[in-house]
PDB file of all heavy atoms in Angstrom:
ATOM      1  N   ALA X 441       0.500  -9.247   6.255  1.00 98.00           N
ATOM      2  CA  ALA X 441       0.393 -10.385   7.172  1.00 98.00           C
ATOM      3  C   ALA X 441       0.462 -11.718   6.419  1.00 98.00           C
ATOM      4  O   ALA X 441       1.097 -12.669   6.883  1.00 98.00           O
ATOM      5  CB  ALA X 441      -0.932 -10.291   7.934  1.00 98.00           C
ATOM      6  N   TYR X 442      -0.195 -11.775   5.278  1.00 98.00           N
ATOM      7  CA  TYR X 442      -0.438 -13.042   4.586  1.00 98.00           C
ATOM      8  C   TYR X 442      -0.318 -12.797   3.087  1.00 98.00           C
ATOM      9  O   TYR X 442      -1.312 -12.767   2.367  1.00 98.00           O
ATOM     10  CB  TYR X 442      -1.857 -13.501   4.961  1.00 98.00           C
ATOM     11  CG  TYR X 442      -2.352 -14.816   4.423  1.00 98.00           C
ATOM     12  CD1 TYR X 442      -1.596 -15.640   3.602  1.00 98.00           C
ATOM     13  CD2 TYR X 442      -3.631 -15.247   4.750  1.00 98.00           C
ATOM     14  CE1 TYR X 442      -2.092 -16.835   3.117  1.00 98.00           C
ATOM     15  CE2 TYR X 442      -4.152 -16.455   4.284  1.00 98.00           C
ATOM     16  CZ  TYR X 442      -3.369 -17.233   3.466  1.00 98.00           C
ATOM     17  OH  TYR X 442      -3.876 -18.428   2.978  1.00 98.00           O
ATOM     18  N   PRO X 443       0.942 -12.604   2.617  1.00 98.00           N
ATOM     19  CA  PRO X 443       1.093 -12.193   1.214  1.00 98.00           C
ATOM     20  C   PRO X 443       0.489 -13.178   0.219  1.00 98.00           C
ATOM     21  O   PRO X 443       0.030 -12.773  -0.847  1.00 98.00           O
ATOM     22  CB  PRO X 443       2.613 -12.079   1.024  1.00 98.00           C
ATOM     23  CG  PRO X 443       3.247 -12.505   2.276  1.00 98.00           C
ATOM     24  CD  PRO X 443       2.212 -12.655   3.341  1.00 98.00           C
ATOM     25  N   ARG X 444       0.474 -14.471   0.566  1.00 98.00           N
ATOM     26  CA  ARG X 444       0.006 -15.438  -0.434  1.00 98.00           C
ATOM     27  C   ARG X 444      -1.510 -15.606  -0.459  1.00 98.00           C
ATOM     28  O   ARG X 444      -2.021 -16.499  -1.138  1.00 98.00           O
ATOM     29  CB  ARG X 444       0.655 -16.804  -0.178  1.00 98.00           C
ATOM     30  CG  ARG X 444       2.136 -16.840  -0.523  1.00 98.00           C
ATOM     31  CD  ARG X 444       2.660 -18.251  -0.321  1.00 98.00           C
ATOM     32  NE  ARG X 444       4.080 -18.345  -0.466  1.00 98.00           N
ATOM     33  CZ  ARG X 444       4.702 -18.708  -1.593  1.00 98.00           C
ATOM     34  NH1 ARG X 444       4.003 -18.988  -2.672  1.00 98.00           N
ATOM     35  NH2 ARG X 444       6.019 -18.794  -1.632  1.00 98.00           N
ATOM     36  N   LEU X 445      -2.244 -14.795   0.289  1.00 98.00           N
ATOM     37  CA  LEU X 445      -3.707 -14.995   0.308  1.00 98.00           C
ATOM     38  C   LEU X 445      -4.320 -14.961  -1.103  1.00 98.00           C
ATOM     39  O   LEU X 445      -5.081 -15.873  -1.463  1.00 98.00           O
ATOM     40  CB  LEU X 445      -4.393 -13.974   1.223  1.00 98.00           C
ATOM     41  CG  LEU X 445      -5.922 -14.087   1.242  1.00 98.00           C
ATOM     42  CD1 LEU X 445      -6.481 -14.007   2.657  1.00 98.00           C
ATOM     43  CD2 LEU X 445      -6.596 -13.046   0.365  1.00 98.00           C
ATOM     44  N   PRO X 446      -3.996 -13.968  -1.947  1.00 98.00           N
ATOM     45  CA  PRO X 446      -4.615 -13.979  -3.284  1.00 98.00           C
ATOM     46  C   PRO X 446      -4.297 -15.264  -4.044  1.00 98.00           C
ATOM     47  O   PRO X 446      -5.202 -15.871  -4.652  1.00 98.00           O
ATOM     48  CB  PRO X 446      -4.018 -12.747  -3.967  1.00 98.00           C
ATOM     49  CG  PRO X 446      -3.667 -11.832  -2.835  1.00 98.00           C
ATOM     50  CD  PRO X 446      -3.210 -12.735  -1.724  1.00 98.00           C
ATOM     51  N   ALA X 447      -3.025 -15.704  -3.991  1.00 98.00           N
ATOM     52  CA  ALA X 447      -2.649 -16.929  -4.714  1.00 98.00           C
ATOM     53  C   ALA X 447      -3.446 -18.118  -4.187  1.00 98.00           C
ATOM     54  O   ALA X 447      -3.919 -18.967  -4.954  1.00 98.00           O
ATOM     55  CB  ALA X 447      -1.150 -17.178  -4.580  1.00 98.00           C
ATOM     56  N   ASP X 448      -3.636 -18.184  -2.864  1.00 98.00           N
ATOM     57  CA  ASP X 448      -4.405 -19.298  -2.287  1.00 98.00           C
ATOM     58  C   ASP X 448      -5.859 -19.256  -2.752  1.00 98.00           C
ATOM     59  O   ASP X 448      -6.440 -20.283  -3.118  1.00 98.00           O
ATOM     60  CB  ASP X 448      -4.328 -19.255  -0.743  1.00 98.00           C
ATOM     61  CG  ASP X 448      -2.975 -19.746  -0.222  1.00 98.00           C
ATOM     62  OD1 ASP X 448      -2.199 -20.318  -1.032  1.00 98.00           O
ATOM     63  OD2 ASP X 448      -2.685 -19.549   0.974  1.00 98.00           O
ATOM     64  N   VAL X 449      -6.448 -18.070  -2.736  1.00 98.00           N
ATOM     65  CA  VAL X 449      -7.857 -17.951  -3.150  1.00 98.00           C
ATOM     66  C   VAL X 449      -8.004 -18.348  -4.615  1.00 98.00           C
ATOM     67  O   VAL X 449      -8.907 -19.109  -4.991  1.00 98.00           O
ATOM     68  CB  VAL X 449      -8.366 -16.503  -2.932  1.00 98.00           C
ATOM     69  CG1 VAL X 449      -9.744 -16.306  -3.553  1.00 98.00           C
ATOM     70  CG2 VAL X 449      -8.397 -16.168  -1.437  1.00 98.00           C
ATOM     71  N   LEU X 450      -7.074 -17.872  -5.437  1.00 98.00           N
ATOM     72  CA  LEU X 450      -7.182 -18.139  -6.881  1.00 98.00           C
ATOM     73  C   LEU X 450      -6.991 -19.617  -7.193  1.00 98.00           C
ATOM     74  O   LEU X 450      -7.545 -20.136  -8.162  1.00 98.00           O
ATOM     75  CB  LEU X 450      -6.146 -17.302  -7.640  1.00 98.00           C
ATOM     76  CG  LEU X 450      -6.421 -15.792  -7.615  1.00 98.00           C
ATOM     77  CD1 LEU X 450      -5.173 -15.020  -8.031  1.00 98.00           C
ATOM     78  CD2 LEU X 450      -7.604 -15.435  -8.510  1.00 98.00           C
ATOM     79  N   ALA X 451      -6.210 -20.304  -6.347  1.00 98.00           N
ATOM     80  CA  ALA X 451      -5.980 -21.733  -6.590  1.00 98.00           C
ATOM     81  C   ALA X 451      -7.053 -22.591  -5.928  1.00 98.00           C
ATOM     82  O   ALA X 451      -7.036 -23.815  -6.047  1.00 98.00           O
ATOM     83  CB  ALA X 451      -4.609 -22.118  -6.048  1.00 98.00           C
ATOM     84  N   GLY X 452      -7.964 -21.971  -5.181  1.00 98.00           N
ATOM     85  CA  GLY X 452      -9.000 -22.738  -4.486  1.00 98.00           C
ATOM     86  C   GLY X 452      -8.485 -23.433  -3.233  1.00 98.00           C
ATOM     87  O   GLY X 452      -9.117 -24.368  -2.732  1.00 98.00           O
ATOM     88  N   ARG X 453      -7.327 -22.986  -2.715  1.00 98.00           N
ATOM     89  CA  ARG X 453      -6.804 -23.603  -1.484  1.00 98.00           C
ATOM     90  C   ARG X 453      -7.471 -22.973  -0.261  1.00 98.00           C
ATOM     91  O   ARG X 453      -7.828 -21.785  -0.300  1.00 98.00           O
ATOM     92  CB  ARG X 453      -5.277 -23.363  -1.379  1.00 98.00           C
ATOM     93  CG  ARG X 453      -4.456 -24.111  -2.401  1.00 98.00           C
ATOM     94  CD  ARG X 453      -2.962 -23.962  -2.112  1.00 98.00           C
ATOM     95  NE  ARG X 453      -2.447 -22.648  -2.425  1.00 98.00           N
ATOM     96  CZ  ARG X 453      -1.865 -22.304  -3.575  1.00 98.00           C
ATOM     97  NH1 ARG X 453      -1.721 -23.195  -4.539  1.00 98.00           N
ATOM     98  NH2 ARG X 453      -1.401 -21.084  -3.769  1.00 98.00           N
ATOM     99  N   PRO X 454      -7.613 -23.742   0.818  1.00 97.00           N
ATOM    100  CA  PRO X 454      -8.172 -23.134   2.030  1.00 97.00           C
ATOM    101  C   PRO X 454      -7.210 -22.091   2.589  1.00 97.00           C
ATOM    102  O   PRO X 454      -6.003 -22.197   2.399  1.00 97.00           O
ATOM    103  CB  PRO X 454      -8.314 -24.311   3.004  1.00 97.00           C
ATOM    104  CG  PRO X 454      -7.479 -25.406   2.447  1.00 97.00           C
ATOM    105  CD  PRO X 454      -7.278 -25.163   0.981  1.00 97.00           C
TER     106      PRO X 454
END
Side-chain angles (χ1 to χ4, degrees):
Y442 182 0
R444 289 184 187 264
L445 178 135
D448 284 348
V449 171
L450 292 164
R453 291 187 287 265

